[in-house]
Each structure stands twice: as structure tokens, then as C-alpha cells.
Amino acid sequence: MNSALIEENIRRIRAELAALAGGREVRLLAATKTRAADEIQTAFAAGIDAAGENRAQEFSEKFALGVYAGHDVQFIGHLQTNKVKLVVGNVSLIQSVDSVKLLRAVEARAAELHITQDILAEVNIGREPEKHGVLPE
């Protein structure tokens, strides 16, 4: 995708959000899965507030290249416990901690790094077996 198109899309989305927000603050997080480094950097320059990655290996590769340097990046997908080391401490927020096992792995890695890792817990309030998330209790 070319830079001009990315910039125009972000301007349009920002205008639509402003119209709907009624003066409330709105943050724009762009899902950057499969996007190239230059596209992500163009999106930051055009005004996204954060990038969201949902593949730990892809995130790790882009992170090592400095793609997110100086910007907010969050992990928005299902995180496997064996990929926790790639993510914890390198993102501002993990949006989908969906098991106690994963929570413990995140907590242990954060303790190793002497940090607090912000997370959102995914709760399966409908108790649907095909969905991820911890049970309410």
C-alpha cells in the first residue's frame, strides 16, 4: 500500500471518529499484521496512536528492526505461552490473556525483567467451549 493511501485512510478514519466521539478522546490503534516496516512508520507519521500486532514472531522481527521505536505497540492476538519472552516487556499492553497458565507465564517473565506488564484478561462469560478466555470465577 502506498504512503499517500495510508495517510488518506488515516485522515478519513480520524475524521469519522471525531464526528462519532462527541468530544471524547479516542485512540486509534492500527492492526499491523503482515504490514511492512515502511507502511507502519507511515501510519505512525500520519497519526495512529498505537500499532497492534497479533503474531509474536512477526512482532519480534519488526521490533528487532526498530519499527516501533518511540511509539506505542500492543499485542492484540492470542499469545501462546511459549512466545511470552518475545512480547513481555516490549509492548505496552497484552490485550488477550486468556488463561491462568498464560497469566502465570506473563507474570514470571515480567518478574525476571523487574517490570509490571499491563494486560487485559479475556473472560468467557458465556462459558462457550469454542471460545477462549478464563471462566468468570
Side-chain angles (χ1 to χ4, degrees):
M1 183 177 289
N2 72 42
S3 296
L5 184 56
I6 292 170
E7 292 166 355
E8 178 55 34
N9 284 342
I10 291 171
R11 275 194 292 279
R12 181 181 47 76
I13 292 166
R14 279 268 179 223
E16 290 174 16
L17 287 173
L20 294 170
R24 293 183 303 264
E25 179 184 352
V26 175
R27 291 185 38 113
L28 179 59
L29 179 140
T32 54
K33 173 177 132 181
T34 73
R35 305 305 347 161
D38 62 323
E39 293 174 307
I40 296 168
Q41 291 169 337
T42 296
F44 276 123
I48 65 167
D49 298 304
E53 280 290 347
N54 71 342
R55 292 185 176 158
Q57 190 65 40
E58 184 177 342
F59 161 76
S60 183
E61 291 165 6
K62 291 175 186 175
F63 184 83
L65 294 173
V67 173
Y68 309 109
H71 298 287
D72 185 16
V73 61
Q74 301 177 15
F75 194 81
I76 59 175
H78 172 73
L79 179 60
Q80 298 171 323
T81 55
N82 65 335
K83 305 284 172 101
V84 163
K85 286 186 177 188
L86 300 175
V87 175
V88 172
N90 295 322
V91 298
S92 64
L93 178 67
I94 300 172
Q95 290 195 15
S96 50
V97 174
D98 60 2
S99 71
V100 172
K101 178 182 176 186
L102 178 57
L103 176 61
R104 288 186 177 136
V106 168
E107 183 178 44
R109 178 64 177 157
E112 289 174 8
L113 298 173
H114 306 288
I115 64 164
T116 299
Q117 176 66 64
D118 288 336
I119 64 149
L120 297 177
E122 184 175 348
V123 181
N124 184 347
I125 60 172
R127 300 176 184 279
E128 299 170 67
E130 68 278 0
K131 299 217 173 148
H132 292 285
V134 295
L135 295 176
E137 55 278 344

Coordinates of all heavy atoms in Angstrom, one line a residue, residues 19-68:
A19 N -16.2 12.8 14.5 CA -17.6 13.0 14.4 C -18.4 12.1 15.3 O -19.5 12.6 15.9 CB -18.1 12.8 12.9
L20 N -18.0 10.9 15.5 CA -18.8 10.0 16.4 C -18.4 10.2 17.9 O -19.3 9.8 18.7 CB -18.4 8.5 16.0 CG -18.9 8.1 14.6 CD1 -18.3 6.8 14.2 CD2 -20.4 8.1 14.6
A21 N -17.3 10.7 18.2 CA -16.8 10.7 19.6 C -17.4 11.8 20.4 O -17.4 11.7 21.6 CB -15.3 10.9 19.6
G22 N -18.0 12.8 19.8 CA -18.7 13.8 20.6 C -17.7 14.5 21.6 O -18.1 14.8 22.7
G23 N -16.5 14.8 21.1 CA -15.6 15.5 22.0 C -14.8 14.6 23.0 O -13.9 15.0 23.6
R24 N -15.1 13.3 23.0 CA -14.4 12.4 23.9 C -13.0 12.0 23.2 O -12.9 12.0 22.0 CB -15.2 11.1 24.1 CG -16.4 11.3 24.9 CD -17.1 10.0 25.2 NE -17.5 9.3 24.0 CZ -18.7 9.4 23.4 NH1 -19.7 10.1 23.9 NH2 -18.9 8.7 22.3
E25 N -12.0 11.7 24.0 CA -10.8 11.3 23.5 C -10.9 9.9 22.9 O -11.5 9.0 23.5 CB -9.7 11.3 24.5 CG -8.3 10.8 24.0 CD -7.3 10.7 25.1 OE1 -7.5 11.1 26.3 OE2 -6.2 10.2 24.8
V26 N -10.4 9.7 21.7 CA -10.4 8.4 21.0 C -8.9 8.1 20.6 O -8.3 9.0 20.0 CB -11.3 8.4 19.8 CG1 -11.2 7.1 19.0 CG2 -12.7 8.7 20.2
R27 N -8.5 6.9 20.9 CA -7.1 6.5 20.4 C -7.3 5.6 19.2 O -8.2 4.7 19.2 CB -6.4 5.8 21.5 CG -6.0 6.8 22.6 CD -5.2 6.1 23.7 NE -4.2 5.1 23.1 CZ -2.9 5.3 23.1 NH1 -2.4 6.3 23.7 NH2 -2.1 4.3 22.6
L28 N -6.5 5.7 18.2 CA -6.5 4.9 17.0 C -5.4 3.9 17.1 O -4.2 4.3 17.0 CB -6.5 5.8 15.8 CG -6.5 5.1 14.4 CD1 -7.8 4.3 14.3 CD2 -6.4 6.1 13.3
L29 N -5.8 2.6 17.2 CA -4.8 1.5 17.1 C -4.9 0.8 15.8 O -6.0 0.4 15.4 CB -5.1 0.5 18.3 CG -4.1 -0.7 18.3 CD1 -3.8 -1.0 19.8 CD2 -4.7 -1.9 17.7
A30 N -3.8 0.7 15.0 CA -3.9 0.1 13.7 C -3.3 -1.3 13.9 O -2.2 -1.5 14.4 CB -3.0 0.9 12.7
A31 N -4.1 -2.3 13.4 CA -3.6 -3.7 13.4 C -2.6 -3.8 12.2 O -2.9 -3.4 11.1 CB -4.7 -4.7 13.1
T32 N -1.4 -4.2 12.6 CA -0.3 -4.1 11.6 C 0.2 -5.5 11.2 O 1.3 -5.6 10.6 CB 0.9 -3.3 12.2 OG1 1.3 -3.8 13.5 CG2 0.5 -1.8 12.4
K33 N -0.6 -6.5 11.4 CA -0.2 -7.8 10.9 C 0.0 -7.8 9.4 O -0.8 -7.2 8.7 CB -1.4 -8.8 11.3 CG -1.3 -10.1 10.7 CD -2.4 -11.0 11.2 CE -3.1 -11.7 10.1 NZ -4.2 -12.5 10.5
T34 N 1.1 -8.4 9.0 CA 1.5 -8.5 7.6 C 2.0 -7.2 7.0 O 2.3 -7.2 5.8 CB 0.5 -9.2 6.7 OG1 -0.6 -8.4 6.4 CG2 0.0 -10.6 7.3
R35 N 1.9 -6.1 7.7 CA 2.3 -4.8 7.1 C 3.8 -4.7 7.1 O 4.5 -5.1 8.1 CB 1.7 -3.6 7.8 CG 0.2 -3.7 7.9 CD -0.7 -3.8 6.7 NE -0.2 -3.7 5.4 CZ -0.9 -4.1 4.3 NH1 -2.0 -4.8 4.4 NH2 -0.4 -3.9 3.1
A36 N 4.4 -4.0 6.1 CA 5.8 -3.8 6.0 C 6.2 -2.7 7.0 O 5.4 -1.8 7.3 CB 6.2 -3.4 4.6
A37 N 7.5 -2.6 7.3 CA 8.0 -1.6 8.2 C 7.7 -0.2 7.7 O 7.3 0.6 8.5 CB 9.5 -1.8 8.4
D38 N 7.9 0.1 6.4 CA 7.7 1.4 5.9 C 6.2 1.8 6.0 O 5.9 3.0 6.3 CB 8.2 1.6 4.5 CG 7.6 0.7 3.5 OD1 7.2 -0.5 3.8 OD2 7.4 1.1 2.3
E39 N 5.3 0.8 5.9 CA 3.9 1.1 6.0 C 3.5 1.5 7.4 O 2.7 2.4 7.7 CB 3.1 -0.1 5.5 CG 3.2 -0.4 4.1 CD 2.5 -1.7 3.7 OE1 2.7 -2.7 4.3 OE2 1.6 -1.6 2.8
I40 N 4.1 0.8 8.4 CA 3.8 1.0 9.8 C 4.4 2.4 10.2 O 3.7 3.2 10.8 CB 4.4 -0.1 10.7 CG1 3.8 -1.4 10.4 CG2 4.3 0.3 12.2 CD1 4.5 -2.6 11.0
Q41 N 5.6 2.7 9.7 CA 6.1 4.0 10.1 C 5.4 5.2 9.4 O 5.2 6.2 10.0 CB 7.6 4.0 9.7 CG 8.4 3.1 10.6 CD 9.8 2.8 10.2 OE1 10.2 3.0 9.0 NE2 10.6 2.5 11.2
T42 N 4.9 4.9 8.2 CA 4.0 5.9 7.5 C 2.7 6.1 8.4 O 2.3 7.3 8.5 CB 3.6 5.5 6.1 OG1 4.8 5.4 5.3 CG2 2.6 6.4 5.5
A43 N 2.2 5.0 8.9 CA 0.9 5.1 9.7 C 1.2 5.9 10.9 O 0.3 6.7 11.3 CB 0.4 3.7 10.0
F44 N 2.3 5.7 11.6 CA 2.6 6.5 12.8 C 2.8 7.9 12.4 O 2.2 8.8 13.1 CB 3.9 6.0 13.5 CG 3.7 4.8 14.4 CD1 4.4 3.6 14.2 CD2 2.8 4.9 15.5 CE1 4.2 2.5 15.1 CE2 2.6 3.8 16.3 CZ 3.3 2.6 16.1
A45 N 3.5 8.2 11.4 CA 3.6 9.6 10.9 C 2.3 10.3 10.6 O 2.1 11.5 10.8 CB 4.6 9.7 9.8
A46 N 1.4 9.5 10.1 CA 0.1 10.0 9.7 C -0.9 10.2 10.9 O -2.0 10.7 10.7 CB -0.6 9.1 8.6
G47 N -0.5 9.7 12.1 CA -1.3 9.9 13.2 C -2.0 8.8 14.0 O -2.8 9.0 14.8
I48 N -1.6 7.6 13.7 CA -2.1 6.5 14.5 C -1.5 6.6 15.9 O -0.4 7.1 16.1 CB -1.9 5.1 14.0 CG1 -0.4 4.7 13.9 CG2 -2.6 4.9 12.6 CD1 -0.2 3.2 13.7
D49 N -2.2 6.2 16.9 CA -1.7 6.3 18.3 C -0.9 5.1 18.7 O -0.1 5.2 19.6 CB -2.9 6.5 19.3 CG -3.7 7.8 19.0 OD1 -3.0 8.8 19.0 OD2 -4.9 7.7 18.7
A50 N -1.3 4.0 18.1 CA -0.6 2.7 18.5 C -0.7 1.7 17.4 O -1.6 1.8 16.6 CB -1.2 2.1 19.8
A51 N 0.3 0.8 17.4 CA 0.2 -0.4 16.5 C -0.2 -1.6 17.3 O 0.2 -1.7 18.5 CB 1.6 -0.6 15.8
G52 N -0.9 -2.5 16.7 CA -1.3 -3.7 17.3 C -0.9 -4.9 16.5 O -1.2 -5.0 15.3
E53 N -0.1 -5.8 17.1 CA 0.4 -7.0 16.4 C -0.3 -8.2 17.0 O -0.5 -8.2 18.2 CB 1.9 -7.1 16.5 CG 2.7 -6.3 15.6 CD 2.6 -6.7 14.1 OE1 2.1 -7.9 13.8 OE2 3.1 -6.0 13.3
N54 N -0.6 -9.2 16.2 CA -1.2 -10.4 16.8 C -0.4 -11.7 16.5 O -0.9 -12.8 16.7 CB -2.6 -10.5 16.3 CG -2.8 -10.9 14.9 OD1 -1.8 -10.7 14.1 ND2 -3.9 -11.3 14.5
R55 N 0.8 -11.5 16.0 CA 1.7 -12.7 15.8 C 3.0 -12.4 16.5 O 3.7 -11.5 16.1 CB 1.9 -13.0 14.4 CG 0.6 -13.5 13.7 CD 0.9 -13.8 12.3 NE -0.3 -14.4 11.6 CZ -0.5 -14.4 10.4 NH1 0.4 -14.0 9.5 NH2 -1.6 -15.0 9.9
A56 N 3.3 -13.2 17.5 CA 4.5 -12.9 18.3 C 5.8 -12.9 17.5 O 6.7 -12.0 17.7 CB 4.6 -13.9 19.5
Q57 N 5.9 -13.9 16.6 CA 7.2 -14.0 15.8 C 7.3 -12.8 14.9 O 8.4 -12.2 14.8 CB 7.2 -15.3 15.0 CG 8.5 -15.6 14.4 CD 9.6 -15.8 15.4 OE1 9.5 -16.4 16.4 NE2 10.8 -15.3 15.1
E58 N 6.2 -12.4 14.2 CA 6.3 -11.3 13.3 C 6.5 -10.0 14.1 O 7.3 -9.1 13.7 CB 4.9 -11.1 12.6 CG 4.9 -10.0 11.6 CD 3.6 -10.0 10.8 OE1 2.8 -11.0 10.8 OE2 3.3 -8.9 10.2
F59 N 5.9 -9.8 15.3 CA 6.2 -8.7 16.2 C 7.6 -8.6 16.5 O 8.3 -7.6 16.4 CB 5.3 -8.8 17.4 CG 5.9 -7.9 18.5 CD1 5.7 -6.5 18.5 CD2 6.6 -8.4 19.5 CE1 6.3 -5.7 19.4 CE2 7.2 -7.6 20.5 CZ 7.0 -6.2 20.5
S60 N 8.2 -9.7 16.9 CA 9.6 -9.8 17.4 C 10.5 -9.4 16.3 O 11.5 -8.6 16.5 CB 9.9 -11.2 17.9 OG 11.2 -11.3 18.3
E61 N 10.3 -9.8 15.1 CA 11.1 -9.4 13.9 C 11.1 -7.9 13.7 O 12.1 -7.3 13.5 CB 10.7 -10.2 12.7 CG 11.0 -11.7 12.8 CD 10.3 -12.6 11.8 OE1 9.7 -12.0 10.9 OE2 10.4 -13.8 11.9
K62 N 9.9 -7.4 13.7 CA 9.7 -5.9 13.4 C 10.3 -5.1 14.6 O 10.9 -4.1 14.4 CB 8.2 -5.6 13.2 CG 7.6 -6.1 12.0 CD 6.1 -5.8 11.9 CE 5.5 -6.5 10.7 NZ 4.0 -6.3 10.8
F63 N 10.1 -5.6 15.8 CA 10.7 -4.9 17.0 C 12.2 -4.9 16.9 O 12.8 -3.8 17.1 CB 10.2 -5.7 18.2 CG 10.7 -5.0 19.5 CD1 9.9 -3.9 20.0 CD2 11.8 -5.4 20.2 CE1 10.3 -3.3 21.2 CE2 12.2 -4.7 21.3 CZ 11.5 -3.7 21.8
A64 N 12.8 -6.0 16.5 CA 14.3 -6.0 16.4 C 14.8 -5.0 15.3 O 15.9 -4.5 15.4 CB 14.7 -7.4 16.0
L65 N 14.0 -4.8 14.3 CA 14.3 -3.8 13.3 C 14.1 -2.3 13.7 O 14.4 -1.4 12.9 CB 13.5 -4.1 12.0 CG 13.8 -5.4 11.3 CD1 12.8 -5.6 10.1 CD2 15.3 -5.4 10.8
G66 N 13.5 -2.1 14.9 CA 13.2 -0.8 15.3 C 12.0 -0.1 14.7 O 11.8 1.1 14.8
V67 N 11.1 -0.9 14.2 CA 9.9 -0.4 13.5 C 9.0 0.4 14.5 O 8.5 1.4 14.1 CB 9.1 -1.6 12.9 CG1 7.8 -1.1 12.3 CG2 9.9 -2.2 11.8
Y68 N 9.0 0.0 15.7 CA 8.1 0.6 16.7 C 8.8 1.7 17.6 O 8.1 2.2 18.5 CB 7.4 -0.4 17.6 CG 6.8 -1.5 16.8 CD1 7.3 -2.8 16.8 CD2 5.6 -1.3 16.1 CE1 6.8 -3.8 16.1 CE2 5.0 -2.4 15.4 CZ 5.6 -3.6 15.4 OH 5.0 -4.7 14.7

